[in-house]
Each structure stands twice: as structure tokens, then as C-alpha cells.
Amino acid sequence: MNNKLENPVWHSLCETHEKFAINYDGVKFYNPTVCPFGAFTDVSKTTDALNEYSKLTDKFFLVSENKTPTYDKDKILLYKKIDGCQMILEDLTNFDITEEIIPLTEKHVDEIYNLVWLVMPGYYRKRTFDMGKYFGIFKDNKLVAVTGQRMQTDSFIEVSAVVTHPEHTRKGLAKQLSQHVTKEILKDGKHPILHTNKGNPAIQLYEKLGYKLTRDMNWWYFHKK
């Protein structure tokens, strides 16, 4: 599994999410309607692949632990490099779930999208919902917190979209949802992982749940010129 975790987007697109893959000879991207992520094994192939993928969408990411992609500066703009990190569940900490956690369905797609973009705009697409299971907490019939599953292989599933509406933070909603989704992954016989930005205060929450920092995982955020 460690080999897969070194390049999680690539292996997700080779395995569980192969149906979403767009291939460019050593570079793979998700269909941009599902997720704007790509990964590579051969850095010399990234320039041509980025040029081709930019014909499908304006903004997109390449994800890599420590390799630097090349790109055509006449066609592609590197907007920023996001310094991220990967965490893997070591030993799940159990605590009481006090909120009603609801499995989300197709009818919730717009609500999930609007909530994620309110809090963390940029990476989520409406069809990101198709990548895995999503769960939410409602207050007064309004979705106020969500957590779901994103990258997947035969051995791991990523916890993602851990989002709480600003009016409902500091109530333990993210903690409860993260534990619930982690348990769902374990039920499927796979190992829970997650990714976040370095220095994110949420890292302390994930550590309390039993996750451990393992490696850097960086997002190169490109824009088409």
C-alpha cells in the first residue's frame, strides 16, 4: 500500500476510479466534471499533458509527493503550489456520536456543492459526489456539515470534503462526521487516509481521531492562460 500512497491520484485512476480517467501517456487526469486532479509517473510528459487537459477545463491540479511537473509557460500559468501533507489512520479513537448523521444521495448534490464552495472553494465539482459515499448533518432541514470519500484504490479510501457551515463551527460536527466516515471505510475493509494543507489547525483534530502525519503531498494549481 505504501507504494500507492506515494502517488494516490495515479493509483486511484488505475484502480477504483479507472472509469473517470483521462490518459496522456504517463499522465492521468480525472474527468474534469468529476475532479480537477491529475498525477504522473514521468515528469517529462507533463508539459504536453497539461496543454491537452487545458482544452477541457480552465483550472486544474497535478498532485505529487516530491516531483516538480514541467509546463508550457506560454499556455499554462502556475497559479500556486499548495504545500500539503498526507495522514493515515493508525488507531481509531472512538467517542460518542450525538448528532444524527444522514447518508447523502443524488438529491443532495447541489447542497453539498454549495456548502463546500462556501467554505473551501476551488477543487470540488458537482460530480465529485460520484467518487464515494457522502454523509451530512442537518439543522432546520439545512445541510450544515458534510464529509465524504474521494480518492480510492483497492487498499485505501480518502476522507475528504470535511466542511462545516461557518454558523455551526465549534460544535464537534466535523469530528463526528470524520469518525463516521472513517468507520465506513474500515467496514469496507480498506485503510482510511486524508490530505490537508500543512499547518491546517484541523490536523490536531485528525490526530485526536487516530491519524498520523506520514508524508508531504503537494498540489500544483494551474490555470489555462
Side-chain angles (χ1 to χ4, degrees), residues 15-56:
E15 296 182 15
T16 308
H17 288 162
E18 184 179 12
K19 63 184 177 181
F20 300 130
I22 298 174
N23 298 293
Y24 298 110
D25 185 23
V27 183
K28 291 179 184 284
F29 282 94
Y30 276 92
N31 182 312
T33 64
V34 174
C35 179
F37 289 179
F40 55 93
T41 56
D42 186 345
V43 69
S44 69
K45 305 288 188 179
T46 59
T47 297
D48 288 344
L50 286 166
N51 286 344
E52 288 302 310
Y53 193 64
S54 70
K55 296 175 183 178
L56 305 179

Side-chain angles (χ1 to χ4, degrees), residues 8-169:
V9 175
W10 176 271
H11 288 286
S12 294
L13 289 168
C14 289
E15 296 182 15
T16 308
H17 288 162
E18 184 179 12
K19 63 184 177 181
F20 300 130
I22 298 174
N23 298 293
Y24 298 110
D25 185 23
V27 183
K28 291 179 184 284
F29 282 94
Y30 276 92
N31 182 312
T33 64
V34 174
C35 179
F37 289 179
F40 55 93
T41 56
D42 186 345
V43 69
S44 69
K45 305 288 188 179
T46 59
T47 297
D48 288 344
L50 286 166
N51 286 344
E52 288 302 310
Y53 193 64
S54 70
K55 296 175 183 178
L56 305 179
T57 186
D58 292 336
K59 300 175 183 179
F60 41 89
F61 299 80
L62 279 177
V63 183
S64 175
E65 178 184 7
N66 49 33
K67 295 180 181 178
T68 302
T70 60
Y71 62 99
D72 184 347
K73 295 182 180 179
D74 291 330
K75 297 181 179 180
I76 305 295
L77 170 69
L78 176 59
Y79 179 67
K80 62 180 174 180
K81 173 178 172 285
I82 301 172
D83 297 325
C85 53
Q86 184 181 93
M87 303 185 76
I88 301 176
L89 183 71
E90 189 171 58
D91 186 18
L92 180 62
T93 301
N94 281 297
F95 50 84
D96 292 336
I97 299 292
T98 59
E99 298 289 343
E100 182 182 10
I101 294 176
I102 305 295
L104 301 179
T105 66
E106 188 72 28
K107 70 179 183 181
H108 300 112
V109 165
D110 287 344
E111 288 181 274
I112 299 168
Y113 178 84
N114 292 337
L115 179 57
V116 174
W117 271 78
L118 173 68
V119 179
M120 292 192 298
Y123 71 90
Y124 191 89
R125 302 290 184 265
K126 286 190 177 181
R127 297 320 320 167
T128 302
F129 177 81
D130 296 335
M131 295 175 73
K133 302 173 185 176
Y134 279 79
F135 299 87
I137 295 172
F138 290 80
K139 300 291 183 183
D140 299 322
N141 295 315
K142 179 181 178 182
L143 181 66
V144 299
V146 63
T147 300
Q149 302 170 357
R150 190 168 60 181
M151 290 183 268
Q152 301 193 34
T153 69
D154 297 339
S155 53
F156 70 75
I157 298 179
E158 179 196 27
V159 178
S160 185
V162 183
V163 172
T164 303
H165 192 283
E167 295 177 1
H168 292 272
T169 57

